């Protein structure tokens, strides 16, 4: 994707850039913002849409046995009881006695080099907290005196359908993960979509979690978006499917998105939840270090079995060839749009030194992800013939992809603006265009310029972006 070693990308620079160029804004900023909630600006909206499209293409379009789903954010409260979220979907929360910051104790321990995770019991995590009291520091004030950790449930409650104000009634939650919508629709899909095991259901949608720490920009949001695929297989086929999906998901990052291999790695879970058979995360090297980007998990038959028990509905599958009956096992792949957005920005961002004291900021985005594919400029805005021809070129190209028309300032500045937002190609219409019908096509990464017949532009650009 780019030449620069991005380990040098600073989070502050990236956050400021994302705001300045209209990629990401803090939510409700005119009121001081809302912690861990962010909005996508004009270019951010386009980039996020292209990220979703790339995932959808890789998962659904290229797999005839994977079908899409769009389930609701609200689900029957029993779903979250059956899935175990009401009881167990929690992170260990403690308070710094000095500055009263709420902290995630597993993260504090990890930062001090001690292995811990959110699946540990209160006793286990508090024992570690006491044992390593000297090493553990509050990220806000540096203090080292904390209250005992308590499991804090991450589900976000709503008052949907509660017209009585009776708060002891079971609340309706905003979904904490999108995959539950897939499990509860598994039978509907099986009965209507002409699929047979092995098959997958893929879904992109919002999820909500009362995350304890509100740091690290869009890496950890309280309202975020997931892209999840649940692959239903025969019990004895699960581990093969697991390895197959691990390989495919790796290639999605290295080949489809062009991430450099040194920036991603596998992390195998040491501490599996009791029902899981295997779990790996793909970690990305964010500006704050390697962190989870995607999870690939072999979940066994836990999810369908739980919903079968709680709903009383038969969710078994009968193999049409062998007649064998079983509850399908599941391989899950799950990645957040927002985390992938941050990874893509980190991977693509460069403050390039052009020599002679000149620099440019450039986003080396793959063509498929670039918010704007082509920018079209008339060389001068006060020459009606040039503007009319440039409008004509813009009209032809924008029928195919997102383009921008810019006639403001000198061409060099216009190139820089497009470099910053990752536009792969700029087209300039000049006086020669009026004579011989050719335009200047300029490449974002090499900055090389060539003359191309305007009539060939659409095909030339399409081939290169593909
Ligand atoms: P973490 O350990 O970082 O909290 P997790 O293991 O709880 O993540 P999962 O429940 O496995 O995450 O969710 C699958 C994916 O959804 C994650 O790999 C991540 O890309 C994304 N995701 C999870 N929580 C958030 C969040 N709060 N903000 C943004 N993306 C998230």
């Amino acid at each position: 994707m780019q030449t620069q070693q991005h380990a040098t990308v600073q989070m502050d620079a990236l956050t400021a850039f994302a705001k300045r160029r209209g990629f990401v804004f803090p939510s409700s900023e005119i009121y001081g913002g809302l912690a861990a909630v962010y909005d996508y600006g004009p270019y951010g909206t386009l980039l996020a849409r292209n990220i979703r499209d790339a995932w959808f293409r890789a998962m659904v379009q290229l797999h005839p046995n994977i079908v899409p789903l769009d389930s609701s954010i609200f689900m029957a409260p029993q779903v979250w009881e059956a899935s175990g979220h009401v009881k167990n979907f929690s992170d260990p929360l403690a308070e710094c006695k000095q500055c009263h910051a709420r902290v995630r104790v597993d993260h504090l321990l990890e930062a001090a080099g001690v292995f811990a995770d959110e699946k540990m019991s209160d006793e286990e995590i508090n024992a570690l907290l006491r044992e390593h009291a000297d090493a553990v520091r509050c990220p806000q004030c540096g203090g080292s005196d904390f209250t005992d950790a308590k499991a804090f449930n991450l589900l976000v409650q709503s008052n949907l359908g509660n017209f009585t104000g009776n708060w002891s009634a079971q609340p309706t939650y905003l979904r904490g993960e999108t995959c539950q919508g897939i499990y509860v629709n598994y039978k509907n899909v099986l009965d209507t979509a002409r699929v047979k095991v092995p098959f997958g259901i893929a879904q992109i949608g919002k999820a909500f979690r009362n995350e304890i720490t509100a740091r690290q920009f869009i890496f950890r949001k309280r309202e975020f978006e997931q892209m999840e695929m649940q692959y239903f297989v025969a019990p004895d086929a699960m581990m093969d499917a697991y390895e197959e999906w691990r390989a495919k998901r790796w290639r999605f990052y290295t080949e489809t998105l062009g991430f450099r291999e040194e920036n991603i790695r596998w992390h195998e879970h040491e501490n599996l939840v009791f029902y899981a058979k295997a779990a790996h995360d793909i970690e990305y090297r964010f500006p704050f270090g390697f962190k989870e980007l995607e999870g690939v998990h072999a979940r066994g038959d836990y999810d369908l079995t739980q919903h079968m028990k709680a709903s009383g509905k038969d969710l078994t599958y009968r193999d049409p060839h062998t007649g064998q009956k079983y509850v399908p096992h599941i391989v899950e792949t799950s990645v957040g749009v927002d985390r992938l957005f941050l990874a893509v920005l980190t991977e693509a961002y460069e403050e390039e030194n052009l020599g002679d004291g000149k620099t440019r900021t450039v986003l080396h985005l793959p063509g498929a992800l670039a918010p704007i594919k082509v920018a079209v400029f008339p060389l001068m805005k006060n020459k009606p013939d040039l503007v009319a021809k440039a409008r004509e070129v813009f009209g032809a190209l924008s029928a195919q992809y997102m383009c921008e028309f810019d006639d403001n300032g000198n061409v060099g500045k216009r190139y820089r603006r497009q470099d910053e937002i990752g536009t792969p190609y700029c087209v300039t219409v000049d006086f020669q265009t009026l004579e011989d019908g050719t335009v200047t096509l300029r490449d974002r990464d090499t900055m090389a310029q060539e003359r191309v017949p305007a009539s060939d532009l659409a095909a030339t650009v399409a081939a290169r972006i593909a």
Side-chain angles (χ1 to χ4, degrees):
M1 221 188 224
Q2 67 175 91
T3 50
Q4 180 205 322
Q5 169 49 265
H6 92 67
T8 57
V9 174
Q10 299 293 318
M11 203 55 209
D12 290 353
L14 211 56
T15 311
F17 165 80
K19 162 124 197 261
R20 181 166 57 79
R21 290 315 324 260
F23 282 88
V24 183
F25 304 134
S27 163
S28 333
E29 198 182 9
I30 59 169
Y31 291 101
L34 180 64
V37 185
Y38 290 90
D39 299 338
Y40 288 115
Y43 293 128
T45 303
L46 293 169
L47 175 54
R49 194 179 72 162
N50 294 340
I51 287 174
R52 286 185 211 103
D53 286 350
W55 182 88
F56 192 88
R57 180 177 185 277
M59 302 302 279
V60 181
Q61 192 178 324
L62 299 181
H63 291 95
N65 67 339
I66 299 185
V67 293
L69 180 81
D70 189 359
S71 70
S72 298
I73 285 168
F74 289 117
M75 304 180 73
Q78 298 95 304
V79 169
W80 305 105
E81 294 280 355
S83 65
H85 282 74
V86 172
K87 246 196 193 147
N88 299 322
F89 189 46
S90 56
D91 285 337
L93 166 78
E95 196 176 304
C96 169
K97 288 190 184 163
Q98 199 166 295
C99 71
H100 303 289
R102 305 259 159 90
V103 290
R104 240 184 100 164
V105 178
D106 54 330
H107 285 176
L108 285 190
L109 286 162
E110 260 172 35
V114 180
F115 172 76
D117 75 27
E118 74 279 9
K119 294 189 257 346
M120 288 173 167
S121 67
D122 286 357
E123 293 72 37
E124 282 172 304
I125 208 124
N126 280 318
L128 284 176
L129 188 56
R130 279 190 288 273
E131 189 186 334
H132 299 279
D134 291 344
V136 171
R137 289 277 171 275
C138 170
Q140 192 162 287
C141 72
S144 58
D145 197 7
F146 299 94
T147 61
D148 273 356
K150 274 205 288 268
F152 175 78
N153 194 287
L154 303 183
L155 281 178
V156 177
Q157 297 187 6
S158 82
N159 69 346
L160 184 84
N162 179 351
F163 302 108
T164 62
N166 172 10
W167 294 104
S168 63
Q170 196 174 26
T172 311
Y173 301 97
L174 299 180
R175 67 181 171 201
E177 59 183 24
T178 54
C179 56
Q180 295 302 327
I182 296 181
Y183 304 142
V184 300
N185 277 294
Y186 143 84
K187 194 83 173 77
N188 284 336
V189 172
L190 193 61
D191 292 346
T192 56
R194 300 184 54 218
V195 285
K196 284 198 293 252
V197 168
F199 75 97
I201 305 179
Q203 155 150 265
I204 301 176
K206 290 266 172 126
F208 301 81
R209 295 182 187 178
N210 231 339
E211 297 282 1
I212 294 167
T213 39
R215 283 180 292 128
Q216 297 174 326
F217 194 38
I218 56 172
F219 176 83
R220 189 172 299 287
K221 295 166 77 187
R222 292 189 173 133
E223 171 184 341
F224 60 101
E225 206 171 350
Q226 290 184 309
M227 302 188 282
E228 299 203 293
M229 193 281 296
Q230 308 292 313
Y231 200 64
F232 300 87
V233 294
D236 57 2
M238 185 174 70
M239 290 317 290
D240 283 350
Y242 178 67
E243 291 307 331
E244 191 188 313
W245 278 106
R246 284 214 312 134
K248 282 187 179 174
R249 295 307 299 154
W250 184 261
R251 290 202 299 272
F252 176 72
Y253 293 108
T254 55
E255 291 172 17
T256 310
L257 301 187
F259 284 9
R260 285 160 298 200
E261 296 231 358
E262 71 259 27
N263 290 335
I264 60 170
R265 70 181 187 195
W266 284 110
H267 166 77
E268 185 172 5
H269 287 213
E270 294 109 54
N271 193 6
L272 287 177
V273 281
F274 69 93
Y275 53 82
K277 301 294 177 282
H280 277 84
D281 294 336
I282 294 177
E283 295 187 333
Y284 180 76
R285 194 207 308 235
F286 291 99
F288 37 83
F290 273 103
K291 294 275 179 229
E292 173 178 338
L293 172 61
E294 163 156 354
V296 183
H297 304 153
R299 302 181 59 91
D301 62 359
Y302 175 79
D303 307 288
L304 291 184
T305 305
Q306 286 297 104
H307 287 304
M308 200 155 78
K309 279 194 222 151
S311 68
K313 297 288 184 306
D314 181 12
L315 301 179
T316 52
Y317 176 78
R318 191 184 186 84
D319 186 300
H321 303 298
T322 63
Q324 191 197 354
K325 246 185 134 187
Y326 55 82
V327 177
H329 284 221
I330 290 175
V331 173
E332 162 185 84
T333 75
S334 174
V335 53
V337 172
D338 315 275
R339 272 192 203 177
L340 184 47
F341 188 111
L342 184 58
V344 163
L345 271 193
T346 310
E347 188 76 18
Y349 183 85
E350 183 182 12
E351 287 169 15
E352 190 182 351
N353 185 346
L354 300 174
D356 293 336
K358 289 195 200 126
T359 57
R360 68 166 180 160
T361 300
V362 52
L363 278 190
H364 299 277
L365 292 170
L369 297 189
I372 303 295
K373 310 298 184 208
V374 188
V376 180
F377 314 150
L379 184 65
M380 295 153 109
K381 73 170 171 192
N382 56 359
K383 299 285 176 199
D385 290 0
L386 288 185
V387 173
K389 182 68 188 163
R391 287 262 172 224
E392 185 189 314
V393 171
F394 174 78
L397 290 174
S398 61
Q400 301 192 38
Y401 16 66
M402 287 301 301
C403 297
E404 224 171 61
F405 186 89
D406 188 358
D407 60 5
N408 200 358
N410 70 46
V411 171
K413 282 206 177 114
R414 290 183 246 171
Y415 283 150
R416 291 289 173 273
R417 282 201 289 270
Q418 296 300 327
D419 291 343
E420 279 197 326
I421 61 164
T423 305
Y425 295 101
C426 293
V427 169
T428 305
V429 169
D430 56 18
F431 294 107
Q432 193 181 330
T433 313
L434 303 179
E435 282 165 24
D436 66 7
T438 63
V439 293
T440 304
L441 183 64
R442 186 261 194 185
D443 181 290
R444 174 196 67 202
D445 294 339
T446 62
M447 294 186 278
Q449 301 183 13
E450 60 188 303
R451 299 283 317 177
V452 176
S455 52
D456 293 353
L457 258 184
T460 309
V461 170
R464 295 189 192 179
I465 286 175

